[in-house]
Amino acid sequence: MEVRDLRQPFRLSVASAFWGILLGAAAIFFAFPLERFDPPPVALVLLIQEQGRALLTLLWPLASAAVLGAGVGVTELASYKELWREAIGARWGMYLILLNTAVAALAYVAVRVYMPDTDPFLLAISVGVGFPALIRTKFTLVKQFGGEGGSDIAVNLGWLYDQFQNFCRQEIDKEIFTFRQVVANRLIEQYQTIQELYQLALYTLKTRTNLTLEEEDARLKDLQELIDPQVPPEVARINLGLFVLELGGVGYVNLLVQAKTRKETSAVATAAAPIPSAASADSPTETVVKKLVELPLADLEKLALDLLKSPNDQGWVKQAAEPAPGISEVRQKAPIAYYVVSRAGVEAALEALKNLS
Amino acid sequence: MEPKELNETQKKMLAWIEKAGAASPSRLSAETGLSPKETWGLLNQMAEWGYVVIRDDPDSVDGALVLANAQRTMSQFKQIKRK
């Protein structure tokens, strides 16, 4: 299934720049009457401007009501808080805004028919902002004689509007959920280990400065629960990815992913690289350590003693290689492997491994 | 579990873990110069007292990961920032 990029509508593209320039040029064209120019432009241009201005004069209250209606739709989507951009970018978010635009325009036309003498400017504003209340008004077509109104025949447009709005919200929720999952997966693909993801989560929490104390406490508790030893590693990874996404947002996650993908030394990539020491599973150190751990303990001890000549290092290696009841062999070998790589370096450790084989 | 007073070696270990955020116990052992047995013994005690969390990690060479307690790390970070 193809997942739409819900941030796309907010990115400046060539197409959006083109439409922006075109609209700006049209606004300038219609704002300044050309007949005052000396010499005046050709008759056709003058005619287009004149007709256009007449059309705009006729339509601007309707357009204003529609734009205000769209604004009301956007405001409704603002209830998604930090995800408002994704909500607007969602397919059903756009449908909701379009519905509000259309309903506001229709409401304006309807009210204008009933109140033709009202000032169009005031009418456009009141209908544009107040149409949700207006369409929730119960329009009674046939009223029952002498009764309490129980058998009146009425049109309840508000109910229809509410149903559609609820449906839109459900669909927006689904689309945002899928989009977030895709973004979090992108992060997890680049930062594959629990170690990296936890380091990212801590770093993000430290750098978020606009959280209240209560919010921060709640996030810290959440984070602590995510790394609980009872939580399976796969679940912990996904949850940590979602945690970073929730805390930092889509833009931040995209920056982190780009920084890891490109491995550039540009200012942006460097600024986004969270912890220089964060060891990914495929870093040179980890790769060599894994190879060293595959050796039998005695061979690894010999390799370490051949490579590290200082008495302190030799003493540590011998002590680490001594039989240790309760500690598995791999947990004895891994510290020695790390010790070798940290003291002798990756290249020397690789060379020693080659010589051994 | 009531946090208990750490000895000097444990404090050194904790400082390293909090700086890294998370690490494999083996790397910690190599970095701090403690033997694997000593490292595991001290870490288990620290985990029991709530200073760190030790959990399974298939990506770690030794199959385990030691993570700094998020709440403690944050409060340490704030103290450093205030200074």
Side-chain angles (χ1 to χ4, degrees):
Chain A
M1 189 184 79
E2 193 195 335
V3 178
R4 290 173 66 235
D5 181 358
L6 301 185
R7 284 294 179 98
Q8 189 57 42
F10 297 93
R11 288 196 194 105
L12 188 65
S13 62
V14 177
S16 59
F18 169 77
W19 285 110
I21 292 168
L22 198 69
L23 272 174
I28 293 168
F29 176 70
F30 290 118
F32 300 101
L34 293 173
E35 70 260 18
R36 292 180 201 160
F37 278 52
D38 190 25
V42 288
L44 180 67
V45 176
L46 281 176
L47 184 71
I48 291 170
Q49 194 188 42
E50 192 187 327
Q51 296 292 320
R53 282 169 70 91
L55 190 69
L56 282 175
T57 311
L58 190 73
L59 289 181
W60 78 261
L62 180 74
S64 305
V67 168
L68 284 170
V72 170
V74 171
T75 313
E76 280 176 13
L77 294 175
S79 63
Y80 281 86
K81 291 179 183 167
E82 290 189 2
L83 297 170
W84 64 272
R85 274 171 293 199
E86 283 77 13
I88 292 172
R91 199 184 304 274
W92 285 92
M94 288 181 180
Y95 292 160
L96 185 66
I97 294 170
L98 278 177
L99 173 81
N100 278 281
T101 311
V103 170
L106 282 174
Y108 174 81
V109 172
V111 175
R112 185 84 183 132
V113 168
Y114 282 102
M115 303 163 74
D117 300 328
T118 318
D119 179 39
F121 178 71
L122 287 177
L123 200 63
I125 290 178
S126 22
V127 171
V129 177
F131 78 93
L134 200 68
I135 63 165
R136 283 188 177 90
T137 309
K138 198 173 166 187
F139 296 100
T140 306
L141 300 177
V142 180
K143 190 147 180 70
Q144 182 190 3
F145 278 113
E148 290 179 356
S151 303
D152 290 353
I153 298 172
V155 176
N156 193 350
L157 284 176
W159 179 84
L160 206 61
Y161 177 75
D162 286 343
Q163 293 304 307
F164 185 77
Q165 207 179 30
N166 287 338
F167 177 73
C168 284
R169 284 184 173 278
Q170 282 171 14
E171 292 303 311
I172 293 167
D173 282 348
K174 284 182 204 165
E175 211 171 332
I176 289 180
F177 171 78
T178 314
F179 176 68
R180 282 168 61 79
Q181 201 63 48
V182 168
V183 176
N185 284 347
R186 233 181 275 155
L187 182 76
I188 296 166
E189 274 168 24
Q190 292 301 323
Y191 299 85
Q192 294 181 352
T193 63
I194 297 176
Q195 180 184 354
E196 285 177 288
L197 288 165
Y198 183 67
Q199 285 170 329
L200 268 185
L202 267 183
Y203 175 80
T204 312
L205 206 50
K206 281 177 187 172
T207 47
R208 273 289 301 258
T209 50
N210 58 346
L211 291 177
T212 63
L213 274 177
E214 291 76 23
E215 282 173 335
E216 194 181 281
D217 277 348
R219 301 287 166 98
L220 283 167
K221 275 180 194 154
D222 289 347
L223 184 56
Q224 204 61 35
E225 280 170 21
L226 297 185
I227 55 162
D228 189 286
Q230 306 294 323
V231 179
E234 271 311 301
V235 178
R237 283 175 67 228
I238 294 167
N239 287 342
L240 282 168
L242 286 169
F243 182 88
V244 173
L245 173 62
E246 196 188 326
L247 206 57
V250 176
Y252 174 70
V253 167
N254 284 341
L255 198 67
L256 290 172
V257 170
Q258 280 167 17
K260 190 76 185 278
T261 314
R262 290 179 189 166
K263 289 186 178 169
E264 283 176 354
T265 49
S266 70
V268 174
T270 311
I275 306 155
S277 66
S280 60
D282 55 355
S283 72
T285 301
E286 293 297 311
T287 311
V288 178
V289 165
K290 277 174 190 163
K291 281 183 182 166
L292 287 170
V293 169
E294 285 169 12
L295 296 173
L297 181 58
D299 288 356
L300 179 62
E301 184 185 2
K302 187 179 173 304
L303 181 146
L305 292 174
D306 287 346
L307 262 180
L308 309 169
K309 298 293 182 196
S310 88
N312 276 349
D313 290 343
Q314 294 236 336
W316 187 88
V317 171
K318 281 177 188 162
Q319 192 197 6
E322 275 173 12
I327 301 282
S328 65
E329 191 175 289
V330 76
R331 287 186 177 177
Q332 254 190 300
K333 289 192 288 182
I336 300 174
Y338 274 116
Y339 197 85
V340 168
V341 175
S342 72
R343 300 302 192 273
V346 173
E347 295 298 321
L350 269 176
E351 195 61 38
L353 262 171
K354 272 185 203 163
N355 293 339
L356 205 70
S357 57
Chain B
M1 179 69 60
E2 190 68 22
K4 296 191 179 164
E5 195 63 31
L6 301 176
N7 63 34
E8 286 308 310
T9 313
Q10 284 173 319
K11 281 180 187 166
K12 193 176 146 191
M13 289 167 78
L14 187 62
W16 195 90
I17 297 164
E18 283 178 348
K19 196 176 161 195
S24 80
S26 299
R27 187 162 181 198
L28 176 70
S29 171
E31 294 287 341
T32 53
L34 295 165
S35 72
K37 191 180 179 184
E38 204 179 354
T39 306
W40 275 98
L42 293 171
L43 275 179
N44 283 332
Q45 204 173 40
M46 288 161 74
E48 202 180 312
W49 293 343
Y51 286 96
V52 294
V53 173
I54 303 172
R55 59 159 300 135
D56 290 345
D57 181 17
D59 297 309
S60 174
V61 184
D62 54 21
L65 188 67
V66 56
L67 304 108
N69 179 309
Q71 281 149 313
R72 219 194 100 84
T73 306
M74 199 64 179
S75 78
Q76 293 286 99
F77 172 72
K78 280 183 178 170
Q79 276 177 20
I80 294 167
K81 244 173 90 174
R82 266 186 231 120
K83 284 176 195 170

